[in-house]
C-alpha cells in the first residue's frame, strides 16, 4: 500500500498553458504512469494540450473527470487562490510545489482549509511532491530514482535530500512505499506527524526515514509523536548542524531564531524518542538498509 | 530582510503607529540639523541591525547642539558587535512613565499568529519569559479572524497595562497587527512601547523583519533593500541571482537544493574543514548558473578548495557534467575542484568528465569522500 496516493489517484493540473511549468511537470508525471486526467486554464477551457483536456476551472475539471487530486505549480502571486479553488471544488488532495509564497498567505490558507475544508489535505508548498513508486507521482521527483515494493516510507522537508535518500535506498535494492516531500516553508500544509501517522497505519510500510532541517520545532513535535505512538523503526537525518543563526538557509523555513530551531536540539529529541539519528545522508541510507535487513 | 530602527519606524508610520519625531543623519552636522528641527532634548541612536546598542554606547541623550556633536561624533564609526555605525537616528527625547512590550510573529508550531504583550517592557523579552512568564500576555490569533478592537481591549486589560494607556494601546495593537499582516512582516516588535507623563502611548523603538517571499508585492521595499549592508561576496552573488550566504571557512561549496547545500556544509565540517559559503544553485545546474557560481566562489580570497556537490533528479547528471565542463572553460579557477555528481544517469556523467579530470579537477563517488578530499586540498584534516 501507499499513503495519500495510489494507482486510483486521478490528477488535475492547475494552470496549464503550452509554456507553463504545470504542463511540463504534468506530462512528466503522466509519462511515469500517473493518471493525469485534466488541466485547467481560465482562458483555454475546451482546448486540449498534449492530449490533456483543459477546463476553465477546477470545479469543471472535477465534474467532468472525477479528478481526486490536484497539482499546483503556478507562480507565488496566484498560488494561494489556486489552493482555495481546488479545495472549493472538493479536491481532497492538493499538491503545491510553488516556492516563494509569502508566509502570510500560507498561514491564511492553512487556517481556511483547517476550518472550511477539514477533509482536504494540502501537501507543500515549496515541496517536491509525492511519489508512490510504480503507482503515482505528483510533483518533480524523478521517477527513475525510486524503487517500487516497499518497505520504507520517506518523509522530508528537503527536495534534493529526498532524492538522495531515494537513490541510496534504491541502489541497495530497498524499495519505498511512498516518499512525501512536505516542503521547506514555515507553514507546511502536511506535517511530519501527518505522514508518520499514515506510515504507522500503512501495513506495507515497515520502517520510516525522516529527513529534517533547522528551523521551527516540527522535528521535536515529530519526536514526541514517535516516542508516544510509533511502533515502526525510524531513521532520521537533520541538515544544518553548521548553519549560522538568523539566516534563511535557502528554504524560507530553515532559520535558527535566537537559540531555537537548531539541528542539535532536533537530533537530541529524536534520539531520545528511540530514533536512529544519522550524521549525514549516506549514513542515513546505510542505517536504513541495516534496519530493513534486520526486519527480514 | 531586517530593517534598521528608522526604517521600522517609517514602516510603522504607514500604518498609523505613533513614534517620536525624528530624522536620519549620516554626519555630525546633519545630526545637529535634525536635533534643531525636532527640538531638544534629543536621543542620538546608532542605526545597526544588532541588539545591545545602549550597552555598547550607541544610544545617548543630548540636551543641546554641543552634546549632539559630541555624541554623534563618538557614535558614528563605532563598532557594535561587528556592525559599524554609518547612520544615526536623532529623535526628540520622550519622558517615560511606563515601558511596555508588544510584538507579533508567526507561531510555526500552532500555524497561527502569536501576539505578545507585556507591562514589563524595555528589557529583553526572552529574559522576562524566563524570570516572570506571567508578565507576558500571549494571544494566539487565527489569521482568518484577525485581531479586532474588542479583542485588543480585553488583551491590554489582561496584560495589566496602566489604565490611562489602555485605549490607545488597544488601537495601536490593531494597527501593529495590520502592519504585521498587510505589511508582510515576519516580526513586528515594539520594545519599549511607552506611556508618557502626558498620557500618550507610542513606539520608542521598532524591530521589523520583512518576509523576503513577499517582496514581489511591495515595490516600496526597494528603498530598504538599497541600504542592506552586505558581505561583498553576497552582493556579487545576488547580482548574479544566486542563493548565497557567506561563511568563514576555506572550502567553497556549490550544491543543488537548499537541503543538500546545508548538508554539504555539515559534511565538510564532519571531515574537519569549514565551508566558505552556502550556495544553492537550484535544480537546473546548467553551464550559465555553474559558471556564475564558480566566479563568485573564485572571487573569495579565503577559498582554498571548491566542492561541487550535485544530485541529478530531473536534471540528468550527464547534462550537469557538460555544464560543469563548459563553465570551467569560461572561468579561470584558482582553487582545486572536487566534484561529486550522483543521481539520474550518473555513469554517463562520470564518463563525460573522465577525460577532463586532473590533479586540480577530481571526482569522488560519495559526499563523504568528496568532502574529505576537498578538506585535504584546503589544508585541513584529511
Amino acid at each position: 500500500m501507499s499513503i495519500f496516493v495510489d494507482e486510483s489517484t486521478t490528477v488535475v493540473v492547475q494552470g496549464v498553458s503550452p509554456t507553463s511549468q504545470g504542463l511540463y511537470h504534468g506530462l512528466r508525471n503522466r509519462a511515469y504512469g500517473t493518471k493525469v486526467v485534466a488541466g485547467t486554464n481560465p482562458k483555454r477551457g475546451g482546448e486540449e494540450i498534449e492530449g490533456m483536456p483543459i477546463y476553465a476551472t477546477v470545479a469543471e475539471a472535477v465534474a467532468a473527470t472525477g479528478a481526486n487530486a490536484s497539482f499546483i505549480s503556478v507562480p507565488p502571486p496566484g498560488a494561494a487562490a489556486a489552493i482555495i479553488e481546488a479545495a472549493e471544488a472538493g479536491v481532497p488532495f492538493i499538491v503545491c510545489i510553488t516556492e516563494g509564497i509569502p508566509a502570510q498567505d500560507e498561514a491564511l490558507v492553512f487556517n481556511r482549509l483547517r476550518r472550511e475544508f477539514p477533509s482536504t489535505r494540502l501537501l507543500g508548498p515549496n515541496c517536491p511532491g509525492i511519489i508512490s513508486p510504480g503507482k503515482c507521482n505528483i510533483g518533480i521527483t524523478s521517477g527513475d530514482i525510486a524503487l517500487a515494493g516497499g518497505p520504507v516510507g520517506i518523509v522530508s522537508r528537503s527536495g534534493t535530500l529526498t532524492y538522495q535518500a531515494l537513490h541510496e535506498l534504491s541502489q541497495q535494492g530497498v524499495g519505498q512505499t511512498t516518499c512525501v516531500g512536505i516542503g521547506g516553508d514555515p507553514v507546511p500544509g502536511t506535517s511530519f506527524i501527518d505522514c508518520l501517522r499514515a506510515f504507522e497505519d500503512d501495513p506495507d510500510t515497515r520502517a520510516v526515514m525522516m529527513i529534517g532541517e533547522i528551523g521551527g520545532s516540527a522535528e521535536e513535535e515529530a519526536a514526541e509523536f514517535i516516542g508516544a505512538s510509533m511502533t515502526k523503526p525510524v531513521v532520521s537525518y537533520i541538515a544544518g548542524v553548521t548553519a549560522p543563526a538568523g539566516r534563511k538557509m535557502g528554504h524560507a523555513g530553515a532559520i535558527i531564531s535566537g537559540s531555537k530551531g537548531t539541528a542539535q536540539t532536533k537530533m537530541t529529541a529524536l534520539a531520545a524518542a528511540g530514533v536512529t539519528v544519522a550524521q549525514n545522508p549516506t549514513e542515513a541510507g546505510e542505517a536504513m538498509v541495516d534496519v530493513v535487513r534486520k526486519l527480514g | 530582510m531586517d530593517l534598521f530602527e528608522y526604517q521600522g519606524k517609517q514602516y510603522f508610520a504607514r500604518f498609523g503607529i505613533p513614534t517620536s519625531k525624528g530624522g536620519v543623519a549620516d554626519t555630525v552636522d546633519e545630526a545637529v540639523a535634525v536635533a534643531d528641527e525636532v527640538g531638544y532634548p534629543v536621543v542620538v541612536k546608532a542605526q545597526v541591525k544588532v541588539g545591545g546598542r545602549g550597552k555598547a554606547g550607541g544610544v545617548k541623550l543630548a540636551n543641546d547642539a554641543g552634546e549632539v556633536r559630541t555624541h554623534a561624533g563618538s557614535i558614528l564609526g563605532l563598532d557594535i558587535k561587528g556592525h559599524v555605525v554609518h547612520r544615526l537616528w536623532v529623535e526628540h527625547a520622550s519622558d517615560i512613565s511606563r515601558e511596555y512590550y508588544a510584538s507579533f510573529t508567526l507561531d510555526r508550531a500552532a500555524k497561527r499568529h502569536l501576539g505578545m504583550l507585556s507591562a514589563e517592557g524595555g528589557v529583553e523579552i526572552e529574559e522576562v519569559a524566563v524570570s516572570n512568564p506571567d508578565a507576558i500576555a500571549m494571544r494566539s490569533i487565527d489569521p482568518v479572524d484577525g485581531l479586532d478592537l474588542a479583542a485588543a481591549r480585553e488583551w491590554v486589560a489582561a496584560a495589566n497595562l496602566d489604565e490611562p494607556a489602555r485605549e490607545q494601546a488597544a488601537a495601536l495593537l490593531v494597527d501593529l497587527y495590520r502592519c504585521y499582516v498587510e505589511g508582510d512582516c515576519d516580526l513586528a516588535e515594539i520594545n519599549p512601547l511607552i506611556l508618557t507623563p502626558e498620557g500618550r502611548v507610542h513606539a520608542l523603538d521598532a524591530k521589523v523583519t520583512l518576509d523576503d517571499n513577499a517582496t514581489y508585492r511591495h515595490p516600496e521595499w526597494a528603498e530598504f533593500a538599497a541600504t542592506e549592508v552586505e558581505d561583498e561576496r553576497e552582493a556579487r552573488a545576488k547580482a548574479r541571482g544566486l542563493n548565497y550566504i557567506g561563511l568563514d571557512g576555506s572550502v567553497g561549496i556549490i550544491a543543488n537544493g537548499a537541503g543538500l547545500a546545508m548538508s554539504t556544509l555539515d559534511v565538510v565540517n564532519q571531515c574537519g574543514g569549514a565551508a566558505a559559503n552556502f550556495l544553492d544553485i537550484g535544480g537546473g545546474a546548467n553551464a550559465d548558473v555553474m559558471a556564475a557560481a564558480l566566479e563568485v566562489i573564485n572571487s573569495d580570497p579565503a577559498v582554498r578548495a571548491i566542492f561541487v556537490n550535485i544530485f541529478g533528479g530531473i536534471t540528468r547528471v550527464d547534462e550537469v557534467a557538460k555544464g560543469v565542463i563548459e563553465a570551467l572553460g569560461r572561468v579561470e579557477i584558482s582553487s582545486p575542484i572536487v566534484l561529486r555528481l550522483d543521481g539520474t544517469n550518473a555513469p554517463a556523467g562520470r564518463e563525460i568528465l573522465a577525460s577532463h579530470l586532473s590533479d586540480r579537477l577530481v571526482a569522488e563517488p560519495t559526499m563523504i569522500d568528496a568532502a574529505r578530499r576537498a578538506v585535504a586540498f584546503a589544508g585541513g584534516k584529511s
Side-chain angles (χ1 to χ4, degrees), chain A residues 103 111 115 164 237 240 279, chain B residues 111 145 211 263 266 270 340:
Chain A
N111 284 284
R115 263 199 209 183
Q164 175 80 41
Y237 169 66
Q279 297 300 314
Chain B
K111 298 181 167 79
D145 298 327
D211 175 8
S263 182
D266 294 348
Q270 281 164 22
R340 176 266 181 174

Side-chain angles (χ1 to χ4, degrees), chain A residues 264-286:
Chain A
Q264 203 51 55
T265 58
K266 294 170 187 297
M267 290 159 78
T268 304
L270 287 162
V275 173
T276 304
V277 180
Q279 297 300 314
N280 59 63
T282 309
E283 202 182 295
E286 288 165 359

Side-chain angles (χ1 to χ4, degrees), chain B residues 325 328 333 335-339 352-364 373 377:
Chain B
I325 287 163
L328 287 173
I333 303 296
S335 306
I337 298 175
V338 182
L339 296 167
I352 289 168
L353 281 175
S355 63
H356 297 267
L357 297 177
S358 67
D359 58 347
R360 307 271 299 162
L361 178 66
V362 303
E364 292 286 354
R373 195 72 181 268
F377 271 133

Side-chain angles (χ1 to χ4, degrees), chain A residues 24-25 28 76-77 99-108 110-112 114-116 139-142 144-145 157-158 160-161 163-164 167-168 171 185-189 191 213-217 221 237-244 247-255 279-282, chain B residues 1-2 106 108-113 126 141-145 177 180-186 209-217 234 243-247 256-267 269-270 278 280 309 311-314 316 340 342-346 366-368:
Chain A
Y24 175 78
H25 296 301
R28 283 186 57 90
E99 177 171 10
I101 300 175
Q104 293 289 348
D105 290 7
E106 287 183 8
L108 184 61
F110 181 90
N111 284 284
R112 277 198 64 188
R114 179 148 68 181
R115 263 199 209 183
E116 300 168 40
I140 56 175
T141 306
S142 171
D144 302 341
I145 53 175
R157 273 171 73 187
S158 149
T160 25
L161 285 177
Y163 311 154
Q164 175 80 41
H167 182 69
E168 302 222 5
Q171 292 220 313
D185 275 357
V187 192
S191 68
E213 62 190 26
I214 56 163
S217 56
E221 292 146 27
Y237 169 66
I238 306 294
V241 173
T242 56
R247 303 295 303 262
K248 286 183 180 172
M249 303 298 281
H251 290 151
I255 179 166
Q279 297 300 314
N280 59 63
T282 309
Chain B
M1 177 169 46
D2 293 332
L106 176 70
R108 289 172 60 169
K111 298 181 167 79
R112 291 155 65 98
H113 298 313
E126 289 81 4
I141 300 167
D142 187 325
V144 179
D145 298 327
Y177 180 78
Y180 165 73
V181 173
E182 292 171 23
D184 278 305
C185 300
D186 283 344
T209 304
L210 302 174
D211 175 8
D212 299 324
N213 280 354
T215 305
Y216 73 85
R217 60 188 179 197
E234 292 182 6
N243 192 350
Y244 176 104
I245 293 173
L247 301 167
N256 66 330
L260 187 65
M262 252 187 286
S263 182
T264 308
L265 312 189
D266 294 348
V267 171
N269 179 260
Q270 281 164 22
F278 166 96
D280 165 19
N309 189 7
F311 190 89
I314 286 182
R316 299 177 351 233
R340 176 266 181 174
D342 207 351
T344 314
N345 278 20
T366 71
M367 246 170 105
I368 295 283

Side-chain angles (χ1 to χ4, degrees), chain B residues 101-121:
Chain B
Y101 172 95
S103 72
F104 291 101
T105 188
L106 176 70
D107 179 349
R108 289 172 60 169
K111 298 181 167 79
R112 291 155 65 98
H113 298 313
L114 176 66
M116 296 207 284
L117 180 64
S118 176
E120 292 187 18

